[in-house]
Amino acid sequence: MSASDLPGSDQRLLTPGAIAALVALAVGALCMVLAPYMPWLVKFPAEWALPASRWIDVVLTWFLNLIKPAARAFSHALAYPMDWAQALLLGTPWPLLIALVTALGWHVGGWKLATLSIVGLGFVVASGYWVESMNTLSLVAVSVPLALLLGGATGILANEVPRVKSAVQTVMDVMQTVPTFAYLTPLLLLFGFGPVVGLIASAIYAAPPMARNVILGLERIETDIKEAAIMSGGSRMQQLFLVEIPSATTQIMVGVNQCLMAALSMVIIAAVIGGFDDIGWEVLLTMRKAQFGAALLAGLVIVAFAIVIDRISSRMAHERERHDGRVTLGIIAVGGALAVLAWLYLPAAGRLTLLVPVADWVDGALSAFVRANGSALDAIKNGAMFYGLLPLRIGLDGAVLPFTWGFQWTGGMSAAFLAVAALLGAGLAATGRLAAGLMLVIAAGVIETGIAELPWPFVLVGAGAIGWVAGGRKLALFSVLMLTAVLLSGLWGKALWSLYLSGAAVLTCAVLGGAIGLVCALSPLAWRIVQPICDMLQTIPLFVFLIPVLMFFQIGEFSAFLAIILYAIVPMIRYTRHGLVTTPPELIEAAVSSGATTWQTMREVRAPYAAPTILLGLNQTILYAFAMLVIAALIGTTGLGQSIFLALGQADVGLGITAGACMAILALVADRLVQGFAAERRRVLGL
């Protein structure tokens, strides 16, 4: 008689998830027991780490110095088109430039887009930042064609040479996961300090979205079109440029839109290394001086540009209808007439500071509000830190202190806490949910210890176990090897700190964004309210998210936490709502006909079917959180982001590349794990 034949035995308890959780729990428990005797199980010895930063610094510095003359010549050449673009934009009368953009808005989108254009650019004029804004646009005007050329050529190469396609996609994954600041240090060594460096950084950052959309567009061309091009007798180049690329125009234009937005989101980052009199530099300068009214005004100028550019380029990508050309010419003519009047009677655009008193009023009102409500704001910040973030970072035994919680956490409390978790886990296991019970015990251990204090063997084994459940041996091996590289880099402690803060933000986004997405799926009215907010948040450059949190909570970890949530929550809302509303009608009808209530239908039918889509939203939220984590290092956080900024200030190429690579590895591992679970759910659903 086999074990499975015994009464009450149930092999289904030992699911892959239960086995993985059991292994991780055993390793964690062993580390806790042995830690007093083997402290290296908790803190990886510094002498065991490889001097990766020094090696990279030596090799890259030698290589960069070797190619520096050619790079400086290229930088010098790029300065000319940037100067020309700057002269053209500043030399064009502002009413005429506004009219040209408004005419384009009318031509592609009608009166709504024309109104948006004139209101958005009118706001820029009234802000007094017209000159700085044109300097910014001159950078975008040169970096975007460069990115389009680089990304388009890369996409075509990947399509034409299948053997390099996988390598190209891997490089693009790395480019989009490595923090932007990580490759600013080598760019500074190569091209020197100045606006052209920001231009090149923007082009590098904006090229991957273009390449991805070119690849996607060429892949989606119908077979009939390709066969017709072949039968026509044209050469391969003729087929590609006369048939296939025109057929993929819609998808390629989506890439142009994303390229524009990526370049615009880089303007403040470019200001860090460019020292350029543009709107990004104005945001940085006013933030450093704590002039939050002026910083908010300058940030809103970037938002206005982002919204106008996004809406016009999106409409050009998706809409084929074009509006009356006579109205287009009329708008341009009116703009020309107003330009003459402005030249004769009105002051220059840079001197129209109509909104500066508003910025001053915001500063005064903000100061008064903070003085009046400082204790309440401090209570919110301290409450979130002492009772939420700090225990997650260093554990209950380190965070629960008399001056915060009113009592001291003791070893007996730890034992009792873990014992209660074990009893609850045993209860879940008794109901047939062994994996859930084990995960509850693991979660309790993590909370008691703290994410930043976790033993490194437990983290490696835990990541491998999750990878094994999500995607099998290959994903498990990939996860372990990648995290081992971080461990050996000497930046393990900073990596765990970054993992803690991004993990806390992602968890908050998952709960809050998932709830908002659920409400929007149930209520069309709620979605009509939330959708424009999500649209606006997705067009705001990363740096601008720092301004409102600094206004109320000053520099610190809590402000960084809020900024990450503001930036990363949108994908969770959108994908949750989209997954829930796209459930096949026949499944919903079957549930309703069987007598299920709305919530039963949501829980038993819609949510399981939407799981792959929701997991994709979680994946995007994770990547957004890591992207914002580096920017948040500007406002007082530590971890890998701080190392990247230190490397930039010290021109330490090795540290910058190593810290950036570690950040990319964390994002890449999280990305692959979530994708693995999403693929498994799609397989179960037969999608």
Side-chain angles (χ1 to χ4, degrees), residues 54 289 325 543:
R54 191 171 72 248
K289 294 179 179 179
F543 256 85

Side-chain angles (χ1 to χ4, degrees), residues 115-345:
T115 303
L116 176 67
S117 302
I118 196 169
V119 170
L121 295 185
F123 173 81
V124 175
V125 172
S127 71
Y129 289 127
W130 183 261
V131 174
E132 293 84 355
S133 300
M134 293 304 101
N135 289 336
T136 294
L137 283 187
S138 67
L139 186 148
V140 174
V142 181
S143 65
V144 167
L146 196 61
L148 294 177
L149 182 62
L150 179 61
T154 304
I156 292 173
L157 175 66
N159 180 75
E160 294 300 299
V161 187
R163 287 180 296 179
V164 305
K165 184 175 182 179
S166 177
V168 166
Q169 290 179 329
T170 301
V171 170
M172 288 190 296
D173 286 342
V174 172
M175 287 178 66
Q176 291 194 300
T177 52
V178 171
T180 313
F181 280 102
Y183 53 76
L184 291 186
T185 307
L187 288 180
L188 276 176
L189 290 179
L190 272 178
F191 301 104
F193 187 84
V196 175
V197 191
L199 185 157
I200 295 170
S202 298
I204 293 173
Y205 181 72
M210 183 63 189
R212 288 187 185 279
N213 280 279
V214 169
I215 294 172
L216 187 61
L218 293 175
E219 283 178 346
R220 289 183 174 179
I221 296 173
E222 295 180 6
T223 306
D224 294 345
I225 295 177
K226 293 183 178 180
E227 291 176 351
I230 294 171
M231 293 175 64
S232 67
S235 65
R236 179 57 196 147
M237 289 297 100
Q238 289 174 325
Q239 295 170 26
L240 179 65
F241 288 100
L242 298 181
V243 178
E244 295 183 11
I245 290 179
S247 299
T249 299
T250 299
Q251 190 65 47
I252 291 173
M253 286 301 299
V254 172
V256 174
N257 168 261
Q258 294 181 2
C259 184
L260 280 164
M261 299 308 296
L264 193 60
S265 71
M266 281 287 293
V267 296
I268 305 181
I269 297 175
V272 173
I273 58 174
F276 190 36
D277 185 23
D278 62 353
I279 197 66
W281 181 252
E282 193 65 30
V283 172
L284 276 180
L285 193 61
T286 50
M287 283 177 59
R288 288 170 180 170
K289 294 179 179 179
Q291 297 173 346
F292 293 116
L296 183 62
L297 182 60
L300 289 176
V301 168
I302 300 176
V303 173
F305 273 125
I307 291 175
V308 171
I309 291 174
D310 176 61
R311 296 300 183 272
I312 291 178
S313 57
S314 295
R315 189 61 63 90
M316 292 174 70
H318 294 101
E319 296 290 340
R320 294 299 181 189
E321 179 185 356
R322 296 295 180 254
H323 292 76
D324 194 339
R326 292 172 296 178
V327 177
T328 303
L329 294 176
I331 294 173
I332 296 174
V334 170
L338 290 175
V340 174
L341 292 176
W343 179 68
L344 292 174
Y345 301 109

Side-chain angles (χ1 to χ4, degrees), residues 17 19 95 157 162 195 298 301 304 376 398 444 473 503 514 517 544 546 548 560 599 610 619 622 650 664 677 687:
I19 295 172
L157 175 66
V301 168
R473 294 179 182 177
V544 180
L546 302 182
W599 285 108
N619 171 273
I622 291 171
Q650 300 167 0
F677 282 112
L687 298 176

Side-chain angles (χ1 to χ4, degrees), residues 42-63:
V42 178
K43 296 291 185 182
F44 189 75
E47 58 270 17
W48 292 8
L50 299 175
S53 298
R54 191 171 72 248
W55 292 347
I56 292 173
D57 186 66
V58 170
V59 174
L60 274 183
T61 301
W62 170 81
F63 177 72

